[in-house]
Amino acid sequence: SQLQLSSQYNLILIGIVNQDRSQDLRFVVEDTNCRLSEGDILVILGPEGEIRAFKKDVENESNDAKA
């Protein structure tokens, strides 16, 4: 599924650290389609409450996928 950071959570994706490729931060400069893997790190900017809601939803999604 697609992340809806700006419309659903009022967040901006700044960059991604892809654990499979390297430990380097790759800045997101435009709408990019990339597949995220478990363990990837998203660098996001936004209100603390929105970040918490996004994190909770991602954790719930991950737990549902494992079940």
Side-chain angles (χ1 to χ4, degrees), residues 41-63:
I41 299 169
L42 303 181
V43 180
I44 55 177
L45 177 66
E48 185 177 348
E50 296 288 323
I51 294 171
R52 284 189 180 140
F54 173 69
K55 182 178 179 185
K56 180 181 173 188
D57 288 348
V58 168
E59 288 170 348
N60 288 341
E61 183 83 19
S62 177
N63 291 336

Side-chain angles (χ1 to χ4, degrees), residues 1-54:
S1 72
Q2 287 188 317
L3 295 176
Q4 301 293 323
L5 292 178
S6 61
S7 62
Q8 186 172 351
Y9 296 99
N10 194 28
L11 298 173
I12 299 169
L13 179 63
I14 302 295
I16 301 170
V17 177
N18 185 307
Q19 295 293 323
D20 293 337
R21 295 188 185 149
S22 72
Q23 296 293 320
D24 297 333
L25 172 65
R26 190 181 88 201
F27 288 97
V28 176
V29 293
E30 58 186 48
D31 268 348
T32 306
N33 289 327
C34 76
R35 183 169 296 279
L36 298 174
S37 301
E38 187 172 341
D40 287 352
I41 299 169
L42 303 181
V43 180
I44 55 177
L45 177 66
E48 185 177 348
E50 296 288 323
I51 294 171
R52 284 189 180 140
F54 173 69

